[in-house]
Amino acid sequence: MDFREFDELASHREAACAWVEAHVRPEWVEEQRRSGTHQTAELHTLLARDGILAADWAPEYGGSGVDPGFARAVFDELGRRGLACDGWSTTSMVLRTIEHVGTEEQKREYLPAALRGDRLIALGYSEPDSGSDVAAAKTTAVRDGDEWVINGQKMFTSTAQLCSHVFVLARTDPNVPKHKGLSMFLVPTDSAGYDIQPIHTLGGQRTNATFYADVRVPDSARLGGVDGGWGVMHVALVHERSASSPGSDGGSLVRDLAAWARTARRPDGTTVLDDPLAAERIGRMAVDEEVTRLLALRNRWRAQKGDLPGVEGSMWKLFATEAAQRHSSNILDILGPEGVLAPDAAGAPAGGRFEEGFRAAVVGTIYGGTSEILREIIAERHLGLPRNR
Amino acid sequence: MDFREFDELASHREAACAWVEAHVRPEWVEEQRRSGTHQTAELHTLLARDGILAADWAPEYGGSGVDPGFARAVFDELGRRGLACDGWSTTSMVLRTIEHVGTEEQKREYLPAALRGDRLIALGYSEPDSGSDVAAAKTTAVRDGDEWVINGQKMFTSTAQLCSHVFVLARTDPNVPKHKGLSMFLVPTDSAGYDIQPIHTLGGQRTNATFYADVRVPDSARLGGVDGGWGVMHVALVHERSASSPGSDGGSLVRDLAAWARTARRPDGTTVLDDPLAAERIGRMAVDEEVTRLLALRNRWRAQKGDLPGVEGSMWKLFATEAAQRHSSNILDILGPEGVLAPDAAGAPAGGRFEEGFRAAVVGTIYGGTSEILREIIAERHLGLPRNR
Amino acid sequence: MDLDFTDDQTALRDTLRTFFGKESSTAAVRAAEPLGFDAALWRKVVDLGLAAIAVPEHLGGGGAGFVELAIAAECLGQSLAPVPLIEAAVANDLLASLSDAGSSSSGARDARLESLTARAVAGELLATLALRPATGDLARLVPAGAVADLVAVLRGDELLLLRQPDRGPATPGGAVHNLGALPLADCPVDTEHALVLARGPAAVRAYRRALSRWELLTGAALFGLGSKALGIGVDYVMQRKAFGVLIGTFQTIQHRLADNAIALDGARLLAYEAAWAQDENLPTADTSATMAFLFAAETAFKTASEVLHFHGGYGYTLEYDIQLYFRRAKAWSLVAGDSRAAYARLAHHVFGTAQAQAPAPAPAPAERAG
Amino acid sequence: MDLDFTDDQTALRDTLRTFFGKESSTAAVRAAEPLGFDAALWRKVVDLGLAAIAVPEHLGGGGAGFVELAIAAECLGQSLAPVPLIEAAVANDLLASLSDAGSSSSGARDARLESLTARAVAGELLATLALRPATGDLARLVPAGAVADLVAVLRGDELLLLRQPDRGPATPGGAVHNLGALPLADCPVDTEHALVLARGPAAVRAYRRALSRWELLTGAALFGLGSKALGIGVDYVMQRKAFGVLIGTFQTIQHRLADNAIALDGARLLAYEAAWAQDENLPTADTSATMAFLFAAETAFKTASEVLHFHGGYGYTLEYDIQLYFRRAKAWSLVAGDSRAAYARLAHHVFGTAQAQAPAPAPAPAERAG
């Protein structure tokens, strides 16, 4: 057994820091917070230019040969500094899906362009009437010669305002059981009939509703077989639920809290960490974070061996997001009254990062499969319990 | 609003203590623990002799005119001293049910005798294959002239080893939906064909399996209408789930823990209660206990107004038993290694009462309706959510 | 024993539920963000006499009690009404009792206190209470501090009344943006111009009693908040479908809503017991208040969190109302500090020795590290 | 990174799973109650060399490491084997390392220590470790104290080895009846006849390291216990029907079992990471061990409790096996003290300043009040 993380990460940390120092502008963090758009175009261009986006890809599709460890270290470091790359996250999930199920033409069309930074792809699964029950999608795609005509609405199409494409789940056969009549399409956002409306969230992020009125795409925009969309989306979901690397959540709130608790002093001169009631919770959070890290490590190890960590990915996602909610709430309690202060309030601990984290943690147990759906997956596939619907 | 408990209880406390001092022998507690039979015949005789059993009943059925407040105070005081009267608890539930649904003859047959101490009645609902789904009972009662012939097996017929009767749920019509073909019978335990086997439990109590092989009872042993057993049992269950009086659980483990924590000293001379990590849990438990007390108070208030506190009773039972499980576990943690010591181990805190309480608390969420059944009742009847089976 | 409201109390509840339901729609609640104060609604609340309902009649108040105030707080909580009714009521009660005690017992009437009390009770001035003793020359994060004319605060063993000439309902100031959209502000303690309300043990006692009353009323408000959140949840799961059925048929949703329903009933009983105990002047009144507050806080937050979760992605959008409840469930309780420490103090009050029961004001805040 | 066992480790696990499954049936576990010690099984465990598997070969041990010991502990936990393998392994490791250090570095060989170590490693003597420093002349509630010949205990800043001539596997004594059916006993500290293993900081360091190793192995055992309890639960809900369906179809049961399954996977990863960290001598080894222990303890207890509950009334009977797991899940962890205090100490070790990381042995027990 060997629980050592990729050694590359440690050895690349210094280089990654240097890259980030050299290229990242601090005001991007504020801009992401202000706009709610957790993707910065200039940063993306730089990541593409230096081959960081393309680090872990085969050369024939645009792979840069940059060390994947360095690339991970860069994203890790960006996360630590509060810079998200949400648009790239969804894009890379879709790229991995294209790699798995796409045609050679599709790989050549999408992969190199995306790795060059010229494509961003948003996820278009959820609809107003279908979230967890994503297979109940009502958006339709009807074949018309060599084209498909798409009609419907998608919800929570995050970062779509910056994307070149939406990865749309659409019904191509209404006359079969719901899972069997779906197909996936890569819909360009400059298509006629496509529209977008912003949705603002509790965590401060902006997401979108996207609308499809007789949007026409060529058959080559279809990823995977006709009516084979459920399987294709499953591949993408597995990538979503296991797309973890340490610090990719923007760093550890618990570590930040501990730093605060180690130095913040009570009137009697003791530190907050000296308060057993604070320390006990911090200790508990540290254990949860280690479990989260190990479950993520297992996903990466599985991926390294060439497996798709389906059940394990669900376990990680469920544990990590529920722990994050417990932690973000406990953290505010430990902070006391100052815990309520928002990022733009004077005197907010850690610049309001905890208050913001508390609001943002809410969505963790919803996006990419609710906790309930994940428990069902684990009950059925891991424990062999009977399907209960 | 007035949250004052029956004033009688306070004013009767002294008299109740005096009665208990005068009559109760300390070795009964040890005897109940050793035997697992939580009912003491000599005590029962005394309670009957002094009219305490019959305190809250109409004179025509044997009511003694003794002040119900005094009677409650006596049971409360017995509980505080660790003496249970489980056989009388089930008996009084059944007596209340007889009062609600029995014929005048049945009232005259069972009530005075029971209030004189000459009858104890065990509950015979559960079966090997039906616990929560009690309506699935397979025990049958077939009419034969003016008699019924009962065949089957009951599980968890607690205190039956001391009882004159078992209150048996039996199927009288197998050809209708399960709830609609049940009837209730008072089966004498000296009937031919009746048998009993002890079952030993984690909490140290003895319960029983009881067996019915062609047991014959007269039609007058039937309580409520033919095939009307479900409604009759519902009345009894409501009484079970709301049969609360303060301290009737044998006193407050939390109060005992607090007493321990106030005096037990750490090596540095501070008390355990000075440990914030202990105090925090004790404070939390104190709140839970107050909620439990108030939910019980509400049941009594409802009963006082003549209502059957159905949903409220379920709420109390669910909250009280789940809180007791949390508490009994937390208490052991606070005690530390000494928490594992059993009642007969030297140096066990409070004579092992906490360790025993931990084991005994387990059954709370099972008997008289599992927590899951109670949540369903609350979801459907209180919140109006749809039936989910 | 009588767990029912009196007829008058029932009428009050019906009136206030209608009033707040109408005047404090969620649209109005949103419109009052981020300050969290609706001046027009506050005027109406004052005109109804709610902030002085528990002040004795001879001091210009309504002569009712804390059960009536708890009813008002519950209705406020249900509608998230952006008015500092609880703070004002507690501060008015504190001023009235000190003013009354001064004029009746010592005979040494303090005309300034009497005048300020009269104006606060009449609704001309908005008074509030700092929930933590002042540190240095600052009372940190005072509820309603951004809109109050008067702030009662403990400093050392002096209970002070600060006049905030630069602030008040008409001229809010110093507000800090916060999770709960509460009109919190730091209030400078200008000891030269402050009125000393009491000194020594009497000051600490009066302050602690006021804190208890704030706790019980906030407990009632959090119960109201939680009960409304539960109602929103029940409505939502009875209309939203997934997998072809109402999500309200799913066992896990049913069970969690049922748990919340029980806890809310417990929170309600605790809050009204605490209010009754205040009105009856029972020795348990303070511990009852703390219990009511802590249990309601946990229950409201758990209920609002779970109901938000049952909304799926919609729960995360600002467009749906549940986020308004979720944020306040956390913030309303947090302004009084870490609940864990409060539970530990409670254990000492309920079970501790006399020594451990010595007055211990709520802990002062940790200084920020940087 | 390689999260798989080596082939040898896999073979060891298969062997031990079979061994303990066969030799420690639940009938055998019951038969060993209340003492909690099966002398015949202990003999077999000794003959397999398990208690000395991590002791260097040149001292007569197996020359393997803590990953192998963790495998043994996991299998022991699954079968609730009534043998003090963990205590003996930790004590043997402690004796071996001190004996080795003595003979190699100072040159001043302690013949008595060497002899006792050799006999313990050979399985002639059963050694154990007191989990708390001695108070006065007593080591309280020592695991395996009722059946051990040798007890290592910290007293002040001396690490002592006690010889218990009146006790041992063949002549158990002083056992106190307890929840987990563990052979616990109070062990008198006879300083005159005790062997001083180490003094000063070195003693505290050695003791703490031994405690950490006990924690990690007990964590592995608790993971084994929990995983077996989960298996019992899955089997039960797949055969028991209620309301006409398998209870394993109920959503709440599925979800709770799923949560336990995840936590158990986490507990497993933590335990083996901690074992690996010990073998690699990493600076994080001690905090890893504490994490593994605490998380496994909570997970095992939660799993066993819930599975017991899913058994309905049968879960409460002594006849069903789940109660065996439930009782031990609580007791195995509790002998090391209140987990809350351990979490607080952990926070200091992980996040504290160097000052806060000064050695702080586990807290001594509260004296009983009466």
Side-chain angles (χ1 to χ4, degrees):
Chain A
M1 293 191 124
D2 181 2
F3 283 77
R4 233 172 293 265
E5 287 256 18
F6 299 102
D7 282 318
E8 308 94 307
L9 211 64
S11 65
H12 287 296
R13 181 92 54 208
E14 204 177 328
C17 276
W19 190 91
V20 169
E21 289 289 342
H23 297 95
V24 166
R25 293 223 304 276
E27 60 265 32
W28 290 343
V29 175
E30 184 44 42
E31 166 64 17
Q32 286 200 356
R33 169 175 287 160
R34 202 194 46 69
S35 67
T37 296
H38 290 184
Q39 172 76 24
T40 298
E42 290 159 272
L43 172 60
H44 192 65
T45 304
L46 291 168
L47 289 166
R49 186 198 69 187
D50 290 356
I52 294 166
L53 301 183
D56 209 6
W57 289 86
E60 64 264 37
Y61 301 123
S64 62
V66 165
D67 193 309
F70 170 72
R72 247 189 312 273
V74 168
F75 285 111
D76 191 48
E77 192 56 34
L78 290 171
R80 282 169 193 266
R81 293 173 191 229
L83 269 174
C85 301
D86 287 2
W88 176 245
S89 297
T90 52
T91 302
S92 46
M93 285 172 219
V94 177
L95 298 185
R96 289 292 170 201
T97 309
I98 293 171
E99 185 189 26
H100 268 270
V101 306
T103 62
E104 192 57 31
E105 287 69 28
Q106 287 173 326
K107 293 181 195 176
R108 300 210 172 271
E109 180 181 351
Y110 293 99
L111 302 187
L115 298 175
R116 269 198 318 270
D118 294 343
R119 296 274 183 283
L120 282 177
I121 310 173
L123 304 180
Y125 307 154
S126 294
E127 298 190 2
D129 291 329
S130 60
S132 286
D133 186 12
V134 67
K138 290 177 184 161
T139 295
T140 56
V142 176
R143 197 191 270 272
D144 181 24
D146 200 34
E147 290 187 328
W148 293 88
V149 184
I150 298 177
N151 278 285
Q153 179 185 346
K154 293 293 173 182
M155 285 298 287
F156 309 119
T157 331
S158 296
T159 73
Q161 68 271 31
L162 295 179
C163 287
S164 58
H165 294 75
V166 180
F167 189 46
V168 169
L169 177 73
R171 186 157 307 283
T172 39
D173 185 347
N175 301 315
V176 292
K178 61 183 180 179
H179 296 82
K180 298 189 172 167
L182 299 163
S183 307
M184 299 283 335
F185 298 89
L186 285 152
V187 178
T189 54
D190 58 3
S191 303
Y194 170 86
D195 199 8
I196 180 169
Q197 292 277 355
I199 298 173
H200 298 286
T201 70
L202 180 54
Q205 296 102 318
R206 171 191 160 165
T207 180
N208 306 281
T210 51
F211 302 86
Y212 307 81
D214 290 334
V215 170
R216 288 184 168 261
V217 296
D219 190 46
S220 62
R222 172 173 49 78
L223 189 63
V226 173
D227 299 337
W230 186 249
V232 175
M233 201 187 55
H234 177 68
V235 172
L237 278 176
V238 168
H239 282 290
E240 182 168 4
R241 287 175 196 152
S242 62
S244 81
S245 78
S248 66
D249 61 345
S252 156
L253 282 179
V254 175
R255 209 164 42 220
D256 290 355
L257 173 75
W260 176 84
R262 206 163 52 223
T263 48
R265 293 191 180 273
R266 297 272 160 83
D268 63 3
T270 60
T271 66
V272 172
L273 191 61
D274 290 329
D275 172 1
L277 291 168
E280 189 260 341
R281 276 170 287 182
I282 292 172
R284 206 175 274 273
M285 290 190 255
V287 176
D288 278 353
E289 285 215 333
E290 182 63 8
V291 172
T292 301
R293 192 186 71 79
L294 288 170
L295 291 171
L297 188 73
R298 183 170 66 169
N299 290 344
R300 286 198 294 282
W301 176 63
R302 275 296 171 93
Q304 199 174 305
K305 299 211 307 180
D307 300 342
L308 270 184
V311 168
E312 290 89 347
S314 297
M315 287 184 167
W316 163 75
K317 199 269 185 185
L318 176 55
F319 189 90
T321 55
E322 301 219 322
Q325 285 182 355
R326 286 194 301 274
H327 297 179
S328 70
S329 173
N330 272 324
I331 286 173
L332 290 209
D333 291 346
I334 291 173
L335 295 173
E338 278 74 10
V340 303
L341 296 179
D344 52 359
R353 177 159 148 56
F354 299 121
E355 189 269 350
E356 187 178 39
F358 171 74
R359 287 182 281 111
V362 162
V363 78
T365 55
I366 298 169
Y367 82 95
T370 61
S371 294
E372 287 73 19
I373 295 291
L374 300 179
R375 288 194 178 93
E376 192 172 289
I377 288 171
I378 294 159
E380 289 175 16
R381 295 196 216 151
H382 182 59
L383 299 178
L385 296 176
R387 186 164 268 278
N388 76 356
R389 306 187 290 272
Chain B
M1 294 189 121
D2 181 2
F3 282 77
R4 233 172 295 265
E5 287 258 18
F6 298 103
D7 283 317
E8 308 95 306
L9 211 62
S11 65
H12 288 296
R13 181 91 55 208
E14 204 177 326
C17 276
W19 189 91
V20 169
E21 288 290 342
H23 296 94
V24 165
R25 292 223 303 277
E27 60 266 33
W28 291 344
V29 176
E30 185 42 43
E31 165 64 17
Q32 287 201 355
R33 171 175 283 159
R34 202 194 46 70
S35 67
T37 296
H38 290 185
Q39 171 76 23
T40 297
E42 290 160 271
L43 172 60
H44 192 65
T45 303
L46 290 168
L47 289 166
R49 186 197 69 185
D50 290 356
I52 295 168
L53 301 182
D56 208 7
W57 290 86
E60 63 264 39
Y61 300 123
S64 62
V66 165
D67 193 309
F70 170 71
R72 245 190 313 273
V74 168
F75 285 111
D76 192 44
E77 192 56 34
L78 290 172
R80 282 169 194 266
R81 294 173 191 229
L83 269 174
C85 301
D86 286 3
W88 177 244
S89 297
T90 54
T91 302
S92 47
M93 285 171 219
V94 177
L95 298 185
R96 289 293 170 201
T97 308
I98 293 171
E99 184 188 27
H100 268 270
V101 306
T103 62
E104 191 56 34
E105 287 70 28
Q106 287 172 327
K107 293 181 195 177
R108 299 207 174 273
E109 178 180 353
Y110 293 99
L111 302 187
L115 299 176
R116 271 198 316 271
D118 294 342
R119 296 274 182 282
L120 282 177
I121 310 173
L123 304 181
Y125 309 153
S126 294
E127 299 190 1
D129 290 329
S130 59
S132 286
D133 185 11
V134 67
K138 290 177 186 161
T139 295
T140 55
V142 176
R143 197 191 271 272
D144 181 22
D146 199 33
E147 290 187 328
W148 293 86
V149 184
I150 298 178
N151 278 285
Q153 180 186 345
K154 292 292 173 183
M155 285 298 286
F156 309 120
T157 330
S158 296
T159 74
Q161 68 270 32
L162 294 180
C163 287
S164 57
H165 293 77
V166 180
F167 189 46
V168 169
L169 178 73
R171 185 156 308 282
T172 38
D173 186 348
N175 301 315
V176 292
K178 61 183 180 180
H179 296 81
K180 298 189 173 166
L182 298 165
S183 307
M184 299 282 337
F185 298 89
L186 284 152
V187 178
T189 53
D190 57 4
S191 303
Y194 170 86
D195 198 9
I196 181 169
Q197 291 278 352
I199 298 174
H200 298 286
T201 71
L202 181 54
Q205 297 101 319
R206 171 190 159 164
T207 180
N208 306 282
T210 51
F211 303 86
Y212 307 81
D214 289 333
V215 169
R216 287 182 169 265
V217 295
D219 190 47
S220 63
R222 173 172 50 78
L223 189 62
V226 173
D227 299 339
W230 186 248
V232 176
M233 199 187 56
H234 178 67
V235 172
L237 278 176
V238 167
H239 282 290
E240 181 167 4
R241 287 175 197 153
S242 62
S244 82
S245 77
S248 65
D249 60 346
S252 157
L253 282 179
V254 176
R255 208 164 41 219
D256 290 354
L257 174 75
W260 175 84
R262 205 163 52 223
T263 47
R265 293 191 179 273
R266 296 272 160 84
D268 63 2
T270 59
T271 67
V272 172
L273 192 62
D274 290 329
D275 172 1
L277 291 168
E280 189 261 341
R281 275 170 287 182
I282 292 172
R284 204 175 275 273
M285 290 190 256
V287 175
D288 278 353
E289 285 215 331
E290 182 63 9
V291 171
T292 300
R293 192 186 71 79
L294 288 170
L295 291 171
L297 188 73
R298 183 170 67 170
N299 291 344
R300 286 197 295 282
W301 176 63
R302 276 295 173 92
Q304 201 175 304
K305 298 211 306 181
D307 299 342
L308 269 184
V311 168
E312 289 89 347
S314 298
M315 287 185 168
W316 164 74
K317 198 269 184 182
L318 176 55
F319 190 89
T321 56
E322 300 218 324
Q325 286 182 355
R326 285 194 302 275
H327 297 180
S328 69
S329 173
N330 272 325
I331 286 173
L332 289 209
D333 290 346
I334 291 173
L335 295 173
E338 279 73 11
V340 303
L341 296 180
D344 52 359
R353 179 160 148 55
F354 299 120
E355 189 270 350
E356 187 178 39
F358 170 74
R359 286 182 281 112
V362 162
V363 78
T365 55
I366 297 170
Y367 82 94
T370 62
S371 294
E372 287 72 21
I373 295 290
L374 300 178
R375 287 193 178 93
E376 192 172 289
I377 288 172
I378 294 158
E380 289 175 16
R381 295 196 215 150
H382 181 61
L383 299 177
L385 296 177
R387 187 163 268 278
N388 76 356
R389 304 187 293 271
Chain C
M1 177 169 52
D2 180 5
L3 304 190
D4 271 334
F5 289 139
T6 62
D7 289 347
D8 282 355
Q9 288 165 344
T10 302
L12 179 69
R13 190 204 50 197
D14 293 348
T15 303
L16 292 185
R17 198 172 276 183
T18 306
F19 169 77
F20 280 114
K22 177 163 161 284
E23 301 291 340
S24 179
S25 64
T26 51
V29 171
R30 282 190 166 83
E33 292 197 351
L35 175 62
F37 180 71
D38 180 333
L41 177 58
W42 177 243
R43 203 63 253 158
K44 289 176 189 162
V45 166
V46 165
D47 291 346
L48 284 175
L50 291 179
I53 197 172
V55 169
E57 290 182 14
H58 73 273
L59 293 173
F66 276 84
V67 171
E68 285 74 15
L69 268 180
I71 289 170
E74 174 188 331
C75 295
L76 173 146
Q78 284 181 320
S79 67
L80 307 180
V83 286
L85 171 58
I86 291 170
E87 287 74 19
V90 169
N92 288 344
D93 172 70
L94 173 68
L95 292 176
S97 67
L98 292 169
S99 176
D100 213 16
S103 64
S104 61
S105 64
S106 72
R109 299 177 47 166
D110 183 327
R112 213 168 130 214
L113 172 58
E114 282 189 19
S115 155
L116 288 175
T117 300
R119 293 179 63 196
V121 167
E124 291 169 33
L125 296 176
L126 200 173
T128 189
L129 176 79
L131 300 180
R132 292 176 292 177
T135 49
D137 290 332
L138 204 63
R140 283 280 287 153
L141 301 182
V142 177
V147 295
D149 302 293
L150 302 173
V151 179
V153 59
L154 189 72
R155 185 167 181 281
D157 69 345
E158 286 185 337
L159 186 60
L160 305 175
L161 186 66
L162 315 175
R163 186 84 162 85
Q164 299 199 112
D166 56 334
R167 295 182 192 165
T171 54
V176 281
H177 189 183
N178 65 80
L179 178 64
L182 284 164
L184 298 178
D186 293 345
C187 298
V189 179
D190 176 358
T191 40
E192 270 189 54
H193 297 91
L195 189 66
V196 179
L197 295 173
R199 283 201 175 82
V204 174
R205 258 199 315 276
Y207 171 70
R208 283 192 61 84
R209 195 180 49 195
L211 278 187
S212 280
R213 289 170 173 192
W214 182 88
E215 285 184 330
L216 98 81
L217 295 177
T218 304
L222 283 162
F223 156 66
L225 183 158
S227 66
K228 178 67 182 180
L230 181 70
I232 291 172
V234 170
D235 288 350
Y236 190 81
V237 304
M238 290 297 285
Q239 83 184 28
R240 176 78 182 176
K241 285 190 171 186
F243 304 100
V245 295
L246 289 175
I247 65 174
T249 60
F250 292 133
Q251 198 185 29
T252 55
I253 288 183
Q254 291 202 349
H255 285 199
R256 285 158 79 185
L257 290 173
D259 279 340
N260 290 323
I262 298 171
L264 284 164
D265 275 18
R268 182 181 182 282
L269 288 162
L270 279 173
Y272 284 102
E273 185 195 30
W276 166 80
Q278 287 286 346
D279 286 337
E280 297 282 315
N281 241 318
L282 298 187
T284 53
D286 285 359
T287 54
S288 275
T290 300
M291 287 184 176
F293 172 64
L294 291 173
F295 193 76
E298 295 215 352
T299 300
F301 179 62
K302 183 162 173 290
T303 304
S305 300
E306 294 188 356
V307 168
L308 188 153
H309 179 74
F310 298 151
H311 278 67
Y314 293 111
Y316 192 57
T317 66
L318 293 185
E319 194 184 332
Y320 277 67
D321 289 343
I322 189 64
Q323 55 93 2
L324 300 170
Y325 291 81
F326 171 78
R327 289 191 285 120
R328 285 164 180 80
K330 191 71 176 177
W332 286 3
S333 55
L334 200 50
V335 291
D338 184 359
S339 64
R340 293 282 199 103
Y343 277 114
R345 286 196 303 275
L346 178 69
H348 284 282
H349 287 295
V350 177
F351 295 117
T353 57
Q355 178 193 349
Q357 283 172 344
E367 281 170 31
R368 286 183 312 286
Chain D
M1 176 169 54
D2 180 5
L3 305 190
D4 271 335
F5 288 140
T6 62
D7 289 347
D8 282 356
Q9 288 164 343
T10 303
L12 179 68
R13 190 204 49 201
D14 294 346
T15 303
L16 292 184
R17 197 171 278 180
T18 306
F19 169 76
F20 281 114
K22 178 164 160 282
E23 302 290 339
S24 179
S25 63
T26 52
V29 171
R30 283 188 163 84
E33 292 196 351
L35 176 62
F37 180 71
D38 179 333
L41 177 57
W42 177 244
R43 203 62 253 158
K44 288 177 189 163
V45 166
V46 165
D47 289 346
L48 284 175
L50 291 179
I53 197 172
V55 169
E57 291 183 15
H58 72 272
L59 292 174
F66 277 86
V67 170
E68 285 75 15
L69 268 180
I71 289 169
E74 174 188 331
C75 295
L76 174 147
Q78 284 181 320
S79 66
L80 308 179
V83 285
L85 171 58
I86 291 170
E87 287 75 18
V90 169
N92 288 345
D93 172 70
L94 173 67
L95 292 176
S97 67
L98 292 168
S99 175
D100 212 17
S103 63
S104 60
S105 64
S106 72
R109 301 177 46 167
D110 183 326
R112 211 167 132 216
L113 172 58
E114 282 190 21
S115 156
L116 289 173
T117 301
R119 292 178 64 196
V121 168
E124 291 168 34
L125 296 176
L126 200 173
T128 189
L129 177 78
L131 300 180
R132 293 177 290 177
T135 49
D137 290 332
L138 203 63
R140 283 279 286 156
L141 301 183
V142 177
V147 295
D149 303 292
L150 302 173
V151 179
V153 59
L154 190 71
R155 184 166 183 281
D157 69 344
E158 286 186 336
L159 186 60
L160 304 177
L161 186 65
L162 316 175
R163 185 82 163 88
Q164 299 199 110
D166 56 334
R167 295 182 192 164
T171 54
V176 281
H177 190 182
N178 65 82
L179 178 65
L182 284 164
L184 298 178
D186 293 347
C187 299
V189 179
D190 177 358
T191 40
E192 271 190 57
H193 296 93
L195 188 65
V196 180
L197 294 173
R199 285 200 173 83
V204 174
R205 258 199 315 275
Y207 171 71
R208 283 192 61 82
R209 195 180 50 195
L211 279 187
S212 280
R213 291 172 172 190
W214 182 89
E215 285 184 330
L216 97 82
L217 294 177
T218 304
L222 283 162
F223 157 66
L225 183 159
S227 66
K228 179 67 181 183
L230 181 69
I232 291 172
V234 170
D235 288 349
Y236 190 81
V237 304
M238 289 297 285
Q239 84 185 26
R240 175 79 182 175
K241 285 189 170 189
F243 304 101
V245 296
L246 288 174
I247 65 174
T249 60
F250 292 134
Q251 199 185 28
T252 56
I253 288 184
Q254 292 201 350
H255 284 198
R256 285 157 80 185
L257 290 174
D259 279 341
N260 290 324
I262 298 171
L264 284 164
D265 274 19
R268 182 182 182 283
L269 287 161
L270 279 173
Y272 284 102
E273 185 195 32
W276 166 80
Q278 287 287 347
D279 286 337
E280 297 283 315
N281 240 318
L282 298 187
T284 54
D286 286 359
T287 54
S288 276
T290 300
M291 287 184 174
F293 173 64
L294 292 172
F295 193 76
E298 295 214 353
T299 300
F301 179 62
K302 182 162 174 290
T303 304
S305 300
E306 295 188 357
V307 168
L308 188 154
H309 179 74
F310 298 151
H311 278 68
Y314 293 110
Y316 192 57
T317 66
L318 294 185
E319 194 186 332
Y320 276 67
D321 289 342
I322 188 65
Q323 55 93 4
L324 300 171
Y325 291 81
F326 171 78
R327 290 191 286 119
R328 285 164 181 78
K330 191 70 176 178
W332 287 3
S333 55
L334 200 50
V335 291
D338 184 0
S339 64
R340 293 282 200 105
Y343 278 114
R345 285 195 302 276
L346 178 68
H348 284 282
H349 286 296
V350 177
F351 294 117
T353 56
Q355 178 194 350
Q357 283 171 343
E367 279 170 34
R368 287 183 313 285

